[in-house]
């Protein structure tokens, strides 16, 4: 196999990893205000705040590592296909800026939310997490639709389409699809990783979100593959849809593990089908097929690709091992009683009041 | 301003800002790991309390280092796409390897460390923070290898067919002579910063009247650890910096000449002096008064007291002849902004020496066994200021050092291969770059206020007391207890 093909596949794998993993924590982030409501029935009902902290603690150890899949995908595109990296990142300038701002808000919101014991503070941080999860969940769908369908790229490999050109109807449909898929995936993650009423509420919500995402996904993938698909991409997209439906059926029967596996597979295969439809291009030009960026003409030298292949083959398994171990270490469901009743930084609040004692 | 100027400003702003968090992350991860290891060795609860105290401050700092780091990786493609095309074959590899080897390690094991208190076996938990530290070192190595290529391109050839630089020897890129002296310099400076950070918060509590007297011995331990780290690390900074000067003179003579604003050649045997400060025109072309150390510049540049040092004017003439032929390398002026290189070089060194002096003074005051009088001495108002300075000085010294390194490289993006003006994204408009620069600057400004507020809040609150029911000790915790840490 050509090294360029191997790297096309590896980059596809990195995006698959990013969407499957960070997809659920984007979903959880967006669902904070929806699932984090006070419980009204049952004995010892949990407050919305406890439920939010259950959700956040469920993704707490993982989200940062999940985001590294994106950084690695970006770095790998830079290393293996510098022209792809240059055209994509300079061309999709404003969407990427929005995604970056989203990721900053979200990261800060997640890390700083518990650092100050005040409802106003938490509300602000929650809003940052919600917005910061929403923006990338929507815009990656938009971006990938554009990549697969082709955008105006001139003979010098420069994107010449402007910002609004990226927001066509199919692209927006793609954005809504990734958005709802990640919401479903996130709801199922909450159902899988928490306990109590929250778990049941999340499962019920996942079914409704899942139905919407299934309709959108079939429509979106259908349009994409009619326009640029191959037999293989159709086949994989079909299995993706089946995985989603299977996952939702499992959710309806209370099998959270299978349900989450279903959305995981659906997102993985839907992403794979996009890359299958794309190959051998990496960024087709809508102006002239001769101007398209391909795995050949956008790539690094054989030397660089060879070195990178060795590095990837040696270190990716190591990374997968410890990542898997961290998921294993935090395999327990997060229950309401795991959430400390006192705020863990109560001392700090006293500290604030003691400020006057300073000389 | 055009897109080029704006892209340069954005890179400067976002990189200087990002680099406030980086050295603290590198240095503090080491010291927190040391504290936790001390707790496991001695079972002295003071070390556990310090681990948690500085661990919290570490996570506050890490959060911003993380989110601002993502911008750095995307920025090359967004604002510097022609640069990315030209060097991607060489420059992309260390970035990708950094993500695969370092970022996964840091983020996964930091997650395990933060959420793993009492939930994973104690030794694994301590190993996690060590692995975070190793991750920071790996990250530094690969990103500095990429930067060193820009200072001194090695292991490449220019491919006339593709018109870009292509890799010929990856090992040469990873063992670039610039890299081999820069990595120790940067890491030692980061340890100095981490030590200063630990020392500063410990001094705050030794100085503060409101901190319980029973806690003072604990902060004394932290202060000593921090001060010793600053001193040892600063020796490393000096030695590696000295070596750097020699390498720089060889591969970037203009930068060395610009560090001293030396316009005319100093021939062999004369010995070029080094000025500590100069009063005169800003660019040093005319001086009214200067405090100089004879022959020091010759020593810094060549390692001998009377070695020849080439001046700016001569190098400018030489470069005009060498580089005028190609569009990628031709510019009128091969001189960096001299006032910037001259003063950042001095500020870097001066602030570093000042931090070293404070650390030495604290160690002197805290020498011997602890007694009331020592802490009373640190209670003087002067020490409050000294504590603040020992945190800020190494940070600012790092900043000035990088400003010198990067602005001293100008007008080159890659020394001798590509000028900065040819690397900018050709299709990106000034309005786009202005938008992103404004957004990042405002956002970063707000986040700085939030971050400093949190550091002060947590710093002032100090280390948590040990509760009586022993639930504090991670070894006694049950798997089903409430988590020690949650969001």
């Amino acid at each position: 196999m050509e090294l360029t093909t191997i790297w096309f596949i590896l980059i596809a794998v990195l995006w698959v990893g990013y969407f499957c993993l960070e997809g659920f924590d984007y979903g959880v982030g967006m669902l904070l205000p929806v699932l984090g409501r006070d419980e009204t029935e049952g004995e010892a009902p949990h407050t919305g705040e406890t439920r939010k902290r259950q959700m956040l603690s469920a993704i707490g150890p993982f989200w940062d590592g999940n985001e590294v899949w994106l950084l690695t995908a970006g770095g790998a595109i830079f290393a293996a296909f510098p022209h792809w990296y240059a055209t994509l990142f300079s061309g999709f300038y404003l969407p990427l800026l929005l995604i970056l701002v989203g990721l900053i808000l979200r990261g800060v919101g997640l890390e700083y939310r518990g650092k100050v014991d005040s409802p106003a503070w938490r509300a602000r941080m929650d809003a940052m997490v919600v917005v910061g999860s929403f923006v990338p969940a929507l815009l990656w769908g938009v971006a990938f639709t554009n990549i697969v369908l082709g955008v105006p790229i001139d003979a010098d490999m420069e994107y010449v389409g402007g910002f609004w050109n990226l927001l066509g109807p199919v692209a927006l449909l793609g954005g809504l699809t990734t958005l709802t898929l990640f919401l479903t995936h996130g709801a199922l993650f909450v159902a899988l990783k928490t306990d109590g009423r929250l778990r049941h509420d999340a499962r019920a919500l996942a079914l409704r979100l899942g139905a919407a995402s299934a309709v959108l996904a079939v429509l979106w993938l259908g349009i994409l593959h009619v326009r640029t698909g191959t037999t293989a991409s159709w086949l994989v997209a079909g299995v993706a849809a089946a995985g989603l439906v299977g996952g939702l059926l499992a959710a309806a029967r209370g099998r959270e593990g299978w349900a989450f596996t279903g959305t995981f597979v659906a997102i993985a295969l839907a992403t794979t089908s996009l890359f299958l439809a794309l190959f051998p291009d990496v960024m087709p030009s809508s102006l002239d097929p001769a101007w398209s960026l391909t795995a050949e003409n956008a790539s690094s030298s054989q030397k660089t690709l060879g070195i990178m292949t060795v590095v990837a083959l040696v270190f990716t398994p190591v990374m997968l091992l410890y990542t898997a171990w961290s998921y294993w270490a935090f395999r327990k469901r997060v229950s309401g009683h795991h959430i400390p009743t006192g705020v863990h930084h109560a001392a700090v609040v006293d500290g604030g009041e003691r400020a006057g004692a300073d000389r | 301003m055009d897109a080029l100027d704006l892209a340069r400003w954005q890179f400067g702003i976002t990189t200087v800002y990002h680099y406030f968090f980086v050295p603290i992350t590198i240095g503090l991860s080491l010291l927190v790991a040391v504290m936790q290891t001390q707790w496991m060795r001695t079972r002295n609860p003071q070390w556990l309390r310090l681990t948690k105290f500085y661990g919290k401050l570490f996570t506050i700092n890490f959060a911003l280092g993380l989110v601002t780091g993502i911008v750095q990786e995307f920025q090359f493609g967004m604002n510097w796409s022609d640069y990315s095309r030209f060097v991607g074959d060489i420059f992309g590899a260390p970035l990708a390897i950094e993500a695969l080897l370092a970022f996964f390690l840091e983020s996964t094991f930091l997650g395990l460390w933060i959420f793993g208190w009492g939930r994973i076996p104690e030794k694994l938990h301590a190993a996690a923070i060590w692995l975070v530290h190793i991750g920071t070192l790996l990250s530094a190595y690969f990103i500095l290898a990429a930067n060193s290529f820009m200072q001194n391109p090695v292991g490449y050839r220019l491919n006339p067919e593709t018109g870009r630089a292509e890799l010929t020897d990856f090992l040469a890129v990873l063992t670039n002579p610039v890299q081999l002296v820069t990595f120790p310099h940067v890491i030692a400076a980061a340890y100095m910063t981490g030590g200063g950070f630990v020392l500063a918060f410990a001094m705050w509590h030794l100085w503060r009247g409101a901190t319980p007297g029973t806690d003072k011995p604990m902060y004394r331990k932290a202060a000593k650890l921090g001060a010793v780290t600053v001193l040892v690390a600063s020796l490393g900074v000096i030695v590696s910096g000295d070596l750097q000067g020699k390498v720089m003179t060889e591969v970037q003579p203009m930068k060395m000449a610009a560090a001293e604003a030396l316009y005319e050649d100093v021939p062999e045997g004369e010995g070029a002096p080094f000025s500590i400060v100069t009063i005169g025109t800003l660019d040093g072309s005319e001086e009214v008064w200067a405090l100089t150390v004879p022959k020091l510049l010759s020593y810094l540049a060549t390692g001998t007291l009377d070695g020849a040092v080439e001046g700016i004017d001569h190098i400018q003439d030489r470069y005009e002849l060498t580089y005028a032929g190609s569009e990628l390398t031709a510019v009128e002026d091969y001189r960096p902004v001299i006032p910037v290189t001259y003063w950042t070089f001095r500020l870097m060194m001066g602030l570093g020496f000042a931090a070293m002096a404070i650390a030495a003074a604290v160690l002197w005051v805290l020498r011997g066994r602890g007694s009331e009088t020592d802490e009373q001495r640190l209670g003087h108002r002067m020490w409050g200021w000294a504590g603040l300075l020992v945190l800020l000085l190494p940070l600012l010294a790092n900043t000035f050092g990088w400003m010198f390194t990067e602005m001293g490289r100008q007008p080159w993006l890659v020394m001798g291969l590509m000028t900065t003006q040819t690397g900018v994204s050709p299709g990106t408009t000034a309005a786009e770059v202005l938008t992103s620069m404004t957004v990042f600057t405002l956002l970063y400004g707000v986040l700085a206020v939030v971050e400093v507020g949190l550091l002060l809040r947590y710093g002032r609150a100090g280390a948590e007391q040990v509760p009586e029911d022993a639930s504090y000790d991670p070894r006694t915790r049950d798997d089903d207890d409430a988590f020690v840490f949650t969001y």
Side-chain angles (χ1 to χ4, degrees), chain A residues 33-247:
Chain A
V34 183
L35 287 172
R37 292 177 192 275
D38 291 345
E39 292 174 7
T40 49
E41 22 188 297
E43 30 186 312
H46 288 311
T47 60
E49 174 58 16
T50 300
R51 285 168 59 123
K52 279 181 187 160
R53 293 183 68 187
Q54 278 178 269
M55 293 165 70
L56 291 168
S57 296
I59 60 167
F62 310 126
W63 72 268
D64 184 7
N66 295 346
E67 197 160 287
V68 176
W69 288 82
L70 169 65
L71 292 175
T72 313
I77 292 184
F78 195 175
F81 302 103
H83 289 298
W84 187 7
Y85 173 77
T87 305
L88 175 66
F89 280 63
S90 65
F92 290 14
Y93 197 91
L94 292 177
L96 284 173
L97 174 63
L98 289 173
I99 286 173
L100 285 174
V101 171
L103 294 180
I104 291 172
L105 292 177
R106 180 185 134 83
V108 172
L110 286 169
E111 289 291 345
Y112 287 178
R113 182 184 191 277
K115 295 271 190 267
V116 177
D117 189 15
S118 124
W121 172 271
R122 283 195 291 267
R124 264 200 298 278
M125 295 297 139
D126 285 355
M128 283 161 60
V129 173
V130 171
V131 172
S133 305
F134 171 84
V135 169
L138 180 82
L139 288 184
W140 283 123
V142 172
F144 267 84
T145 311
N146 281 303
I147 292 173
V148 172
L149 290 181
V151 287
I153 292 172
D154 69 12
D156 297 325
M157 295 185 167
E158 293 295 332
Y159 173 78
V160 288
F163 175 59
W164 299 106
N165 196 43
L166 297 172
L167 300 179
V170 185
L172 290 175
L173 175 65
L176 288 178
T177 308
T178 49
L179 182 73
T180 49
L181 270 177
F182 293 163
L183 281 166
T184 313
H185 199 40
L188 286 174
F189 185 78
V190 176
L192 181 66
K193 296 289 291 180
T194 64
D195 225 336
R197 273 215 70 80
L198 174 59
R199 170 184 175 183
H200 299 280
D201 292 350
R203 207 171 60 207
L205 183 63
L207 281 174
R208 282 185 282 155
L209 288 168
S213 73
V215 174
L216 290 168
V218 167
L219 205 61
W220 177 56
L221 290 174
I223 294 174
L224 283 187
H225 292 299
V226 163
R227 292 194 24 198
T228 67
T230 61
T231 317
S233 75
W234 269 111
L235 207 65
V236 172
V239 183
L244 182 55
V245 173

Side-chain angles (χ1 to χ4, degrees), chain A residues 53 57 63 67 71 75 83 85 87 93 110-112 115 157 299-301 303-304 322 338 348 358-359, chain B residues 60 70 73 77-79 85 89 104-105 164 168 207-209 379 426 436 451 457-458 482-483 486-487:
Chain A
R53 293 183 68 187
S57 296
W63 72 268
E67 197 160 287
L71 292 175
H83 289 298
Y85 173 77
T87 305
Y93 197 91
L110 286 169
E111 289 291 345
Y112 287 178
K115 295 271 190 267
M157 295 185 167
S299 83
S300 281
S301 64
K303 172 107 186 168
T304 297
Y322 63 68
H338 285 127
V348 173
D358 271 23
R359 359 180 179 164
Chain B
I60 292 169
I70 310 172
E73 198 202 42
M78 291 171 78
N79 283 346
R85 291 182 204 280
D89 197 73
F104 273 117
L105 199 68
R164 64 183 189 181
T168 56
W207 166 81
R208 252 180 116 225
S436 90
E451 143 110 9
R457 188 181 258 259
Y458 276 78
F483 299 149
T486 54
Y487 275 142

Side-chain angles (χ1 to χ4, degrees), chain A residues 240-266:
Chain A
L244 182 55
V245 173
L248 295 177
L249 290 177
R253 304 177 66 181
R255 307 290 299 269
E256 286 130 352
W258 284 111
F260 184 73
T261 310
T263 46
F264 195 99
V265 167

Side-chain angles (χ1 to χ4, degrees), chain B residues 239-321:
Chain B
V239 172
S240 57
D242 180 51
L243 294 172
Q244 252 184 324
K246 276 76 181 162
V247 177
M248 181 168 67
T249 308
E250 216 161 283
V251 300
Q252 292 173 300
M254 181 65 99
K255 199 195 275 186
M256 194 65 192
E260 176 57 25
L262 179 76
Y263 285 87
E264 282 165 31
D265 291 359
V266 177
E268 180 87 43
E270 266 183 33
F274 179 85
S275 58
I276 310 278
V277 285
T278 306
I279 297 169
T281 53
L282 254 187
D283 62 359
S285 51
E286 279 174 50
E287 66 177 51
V288 177
W289 176 83
L291 175 62
T292 56
V293 181
K295 296 180 190 293
L296 181 58
L297 181 66
S298 279
Y299 179 76
L300 288 177
T302 65
T304 57
L305 289 176
D306 49 10
V309 184
E310 210 178 2
I312 293 166
D313 294 339
H314 188 193
I315 305 171
Q316 164 75 20
D317 295 344
R318 202 151 59 76
Y319 282 7
E320 276 176 35
L321 286 175

